[in-house]
Amino acid sequence: MDRRRFIKLSSLLGGSLTLSTQLTGCASAPKSTEYFPAVEFSHGVASGDPTTSAVILWTRAVPHDNGDSGYVRWQIATSPDFNSPLRDGVAKTTRNNDFTVKIDVQDLPAGRSFYYRFFTSENRSVTGTTSTLATGVIDKLKFAVFSCANYPAGYFNAYEAAAEDSEVDVVLHLGDYIYEYQKGGYATANAEAIGRDFMPGNEGELLTLKDYRLRYATYRQDNGLQLLHQRKPFIAVWDDHEIANDTYMSGAQNHSADEGDFYARRAAAVQAYYEWLPIRPPMGNESPQIYRAFEFGNLVNLFMLDTRLIGRQQQLNMADFKRANGQFDAAAFMRAINDPGRTLLGEDQFNWLSQEVSHSSARWQVLGQQILMGKMHYPAEVLTSQREAIASAIEGLIGLLKKQQAGAPLTAKEQARLSTRLPYNLDAWDGYAAEREKVLKLFSEAGKSLLVIAGDTHNGWVNTLTDNSGETLAMEYATPSVSSPGMEDYVGMDDSQARRLAEALPLLIDDLSYCNLHERGYMTMSFTLSMVTTQWHYVSNITNEDYTVYTRHTERFVD
Ligand SMILES: [Fe+2]
């Protein structure tokens, strides 16, 4: 205690006001006896969840004296010299929140850019930039869209590339911001060799609050991620790996009984997420309800959904549809998938979305969510092939397609090989088909122009979203992973095989028009009143911080 610096708040504040709420820690006004220890701003700054009048500011301030708490000062201004801050105040940093500090700054002007920073008398954070949402007529808007950043798998160069794009207004993060695995687990094999050792490491996968916090602290050391947070406001939702692989309402594929109570693990994961992400939890820090909406003037209504914790029933398993004779019962399987009682969003979230859609008036409606919505129905032969035979099975089927296109007759057996198709990813919307139909109908019946964005698969995709009658109702754009291994890894393909397969898959999957199966990167979406331009950007390298970024694909959507 004797090393603490005892500085009176009143002298630091200079009598200015605070019109803001601290979301974590003590929300009451600081007393004149509170102190400002020297701190380390150990993980940069971040901002997020902008509205037309508010934005979340974030930092982490760790007291040098190893104490349990202290205060820091913050400022937000329209110029980088901070000569006349628009708002300022003090915020508590405490061990109870892992020394993360979050401010919900209120009463800001709409559609403006800001500079912000945190400081004590001895230390100052880097200066961040952020903005509030504009109202009324907006000419243009650009999102950068991310998912699936795996620290031990590689450097987050994709984040840095987006940070360097001065036209990006807002970052959308669709989940898998962290992964829960231990050393030796998924995608960790090269970690040490490429300088991506991580905490906690050898103690098993993430289970406790301490575990999840340490993992965020590791991920946020990445320079690209720190720079992107510093420069752009985030709008984020979690996917499964912020908790455990293939999470659903009451469990997860990667949660077993010997790992303790699932809900205790989930509560720890949710708490750490809210502490470390610049997010405004709609129902407070205790609630797993994360779905929420954002309005970008007359241009875009964005609905950020939760497809994990609120309403998802457990994933189906193909192995459960084997008959006694060992034959796969495809009819029973498809009946289960199309069961109208099967939920992914759940009733409350669907009703909320319905309400939002009924009074949304922007030109474009965007569903920001985790998992692929497109019908990825593969020939059954591909799904039943051993891993090393998948690529050749697909090439064989392409051969049949070409034969058919050339006018040569196919045998009944060859026809069946092409036409017997099944959904393969039962963790995606394909496993919850009735609710997918409901969501697509919700927008089309309201006459709203819908674009769906997705992450989760680690690969880039473009799907036409069709209803059960085959009518096109929307488009889906899916972003590649920042660093998690993609299909090239699951199937065991080199780059040229992956390219050939990416050309072949759209021929075999009806609603698929583009895919990239082996490169890491991100997606941007640029909106004007007349068009949405979506681009896929890929980085040349994730094993160190030297990279080039390539824009490989562009989709233009005109409704
Ligand atoms: Fe992922």
Side-chain angles (χ1 to χ4, degrees):
M1 288 295 288
D2 58 343
R3 285 172 54 233
R4 282 197 182 186
R5 297 182 51 82
F6 293 83
I7 299 169
K8 284 197 172 176
L9 259 186
S10 51
S11 63
L12 268 176
L13 275 173
S16 71
L17 62 136
T18 155
L19 282 171
S20 304
T21 315
Q22 187 169 4
L23 292 179
T24 54
C26 178
S28 59
K31 303 179 186 81
S32 61
T33 50
E34 297 293 356
Y35 307 117
F36 291 76
V39 298
E40 184 187 359
F41 292 105
S42 56
H43 290 79
V45 296
S47 72
D49 278 16
T51 70
T52 54
S53 63
V55 68
I56 302 285
L57 305 182
W58 181 100
T59 194
R60 185 162 190 253
V62 183
H64 280 173
D65 62 8
N66 205 25
D68 290 331
S69 66
Y71 281 84
V72 295
R73 194 178 183 194
W74 59 270
Q75 294 176 319
I76 187 165
T78 51
S79 69
D81 58 22
F82 291 93
N83 280 342
S84 42
L86 272 182
R87 300 274 177 271
D88 60 12
V90 293
K92 191 174 186 182
T93 179
T94 153
R95 194 177 295 282
N96 293 338
N97 300 323
D98 204 17
F99 299 112
T100 58
V101 176
K102 230 198 251 190
I103 316 292
D104 193 354
V105 185
Q106 306 284 323
D107 296 325
L108 293 168
R112 295 286 293 275
S113 296
F114 306 100
Y115 299 88
Y116 66 94
R117 65 184 181 184
F118 296 82
F119 58 96
T120 66
S121 62
E122 293 198 12
N123 322 87
R124 197 162 65 199
S125 72
V126 290
T127 294
T129 50
T130 192
S131 55
T132 45
L133 306 188
T135 55
V137 177
I138 301 179
D139 297 336
K140 62 187 178 73
L141 173 71
K142 187 171 182 180
F143 293 153
V145 185
F146 292 90
S147 76
C148 298
N150 188 314
Y151 188 92
Y155 287 81
F156 298 161
N157 293 333
Y159 286 145
E160 191 194 69
E164 300 291 358
D165 181 347
S166 61
E167 290 181 0
V168 168
D169 297 298
V170 176
V171 170
L172 307 187
H173 204 293
L174 305 180
D176 289 1
Y177 185 96
I178 60 163
Y179 282 77
E180 81 276 20
Y181 298 102
Q182 73 281 23
K183 272 183 194 161
Y186 169 72
T188 64
N190 293 330
E192 243 168 275
I194 62 171
R196 299 287 272 183
D197 213 358
F198 58 100
M199 293 282 288
N202 294 323
E203 303 84 352
E205 64 198 52
L206 308 183
L207 296 175
T208 67
L209 179 58
K210 186 179 167 208
D211 295 340
Y212 284 101
R213 284 170 165 174
L214 269 172
R215 188 59 54 86
Y216 281 101
T218 295
Y219 275 54
R220 286 284 274 275
Q221 285 167 10
D222 180 272
N223 291 325
L225 180 53
Q226 277 201 19
L227 191 67
L228 187 58
H229 271 304
Q230 185 186 337
R231 290 190 179 169
K232 314 282 182 186
F234 270 51
I235 294 176
V237 283
W238 51 58
D239 192 12
D240 53 339
H241 289 287
E242 285 87 350
I243 300 103
N245 184 50
D246 286 0
T247 302
Y248 54 95
M249 254 192 298
S250 56
Q253 176 275 332
N254 194 27
H255 182 83
S256 50
D258 64 351
E259 290 174 322
D261 177 47
F262 171 74
Y263 293 103
R265 183 182 190 179
R266 189 182 81 170
V270 165
Q271 181 176 338
Y273 185 87
Y274 285 157
E275 285 172 351
W276 278 83
L277 272 289
I279 180 178
R280 182 184 298 111
M283 302 293 286
N285 288 330
E286 303 293 313
S287 169
Q289 182 181 313
I290 196 174
Y291 57 84
R292 61 210 193 280
F294 296 85
E295 197 173 303
F296 298 81
N298 64 336
L299 201 52
V300 174
N301 283 120
L302 170 68
F303 310 103
M304 297 297 278
L305 301 184
D306 169 70
T307 61
R308 288 292 169 190
L309 302 188
I310 298 295
R312 179 193 278 262
Q313 293 178 359
Q314 187 170 3
Q315 296 84 349
L316 294 172
N317 185 350
M318 275 188 172
D320 295 338
F321 294 88
K322 268 192 182 164
R323 293 198 191 98
N325 63 5
Q327 292 266 317
F328 178 65
D329 188 345
F333 173 67
M334 292 310 290
R335 267 199 310 278
I337 277 180
N338 288 296
D339 176 356
R342 188 159 173 71
T343 62
L344 182 65
L345 301 180
E347 201 181 335
D348 289 352
Q349 186 173 195
F350 185 84
N351 290 341
W352 164 82
L353 185 61
S354 268
Q355 281 293 316
E356 291 285 327
V357 173
S358 69
H359 54 72
S360 66
S361 57
R363 175 73 182 84
W364 309 104
Q365 314 294 311
V366 178
L367 277 187
Q369 54 89 50
Q370 297 79 5
I371 51 174
L372 270 194
M373 194 179 269
K375 292 182 178 129
M376 300 291 280
H377 292 196
Y378 280 66
E381 179 178 329
V382 176
L383 303 181
T384 52
S385 295
Q386 295 295 318
R387 177 175 177 265
E388 55 280 3
I390 290 174
S392 64
I394 290 174
E395 289 190 28
L397 290 163
I398 296 295
L400 288 183
L401 270 181
K402 286 185 177 155
K403 188 174 156 189
Q404 189 180 43
Q405 282 161 359
L410 298 186
T411 66
K413 198 174 166 194
E414 285 172 333
Q415 280 288 5
R417 284 177 63 196
L418 283 176
S419 61
T420 310
R421 300 187 186 198
L422 291 170
Y424 89 104
N425 184 353
L426 304 182
D427 183 62
W429 285 87
D430 264 342
Y432 303 83
E435 205 165 270
R436 169 174 58 198
E437 188 79 358
K438 260 173 77 179
V439 169
L440 290 175
K441 287 272 196 305
L442 175 67
F443 283 87
S444 71
E445 283 167 8
K448 304 288 166 72
S449 192
L450 174 65
L451 296 168
V452 175
I453 54 175
D456 183 60
T457 68
H458 306 174
N459 297 115
W461 310 91
V462 176
N463 284 306
T464 304
L465 296 175
T466 55
D467 65 10
N468 288 343
S469 70
E471 190 187 345
T472 297
L473 298 184
M475 291 301 291
E476 174 174 52
Y477 304 129
T479 190
S481 64
V482 172
S483 67
S484 299
M487 195 179 277
E488 83 290 352
D489 188 62
Y490 317 139
V491 176
M493 298 180 289
D494 63 25
D495 287 2
S496 69
Q497 282 177 306
R499 280 195 194 90
R500 278 214 309 283
L501 192 57
E503 282 171 23
L505 275 188
L507 301 174
L508 287 175
I509 300 173
D510 294 339
D511 292 350
L512 174 66
S513 58
Y514 163 77
C515 61
N516 178 301
L517 304 177
H518 70 293
E519 290 179 289
R520 311 282 80 84
Y522 68 107
M523 202 166 76
T524 53
M525 297 181 87
S526 303
F527 298 87
T528 65
L529 279 175
S530 58
M531 195 191 302
V532 183
T533 306
T534 305
Q535 296 195 297
W536 282 256
H537 313 278
Y538 298 99
V539 294
S540 58
N541 173 47
I542 58 167
T543 57
N544 58 54
E545 288 173 297
D546 289 327
Y547 68 96
T548 313
V549 61
Y550 303 100
T551 302
R552 293 229 196 276
H553 187 72
T554 300
E555 288 278 324
R556 291 188 178 84
F557 183 73
V558 183
D559 188 33

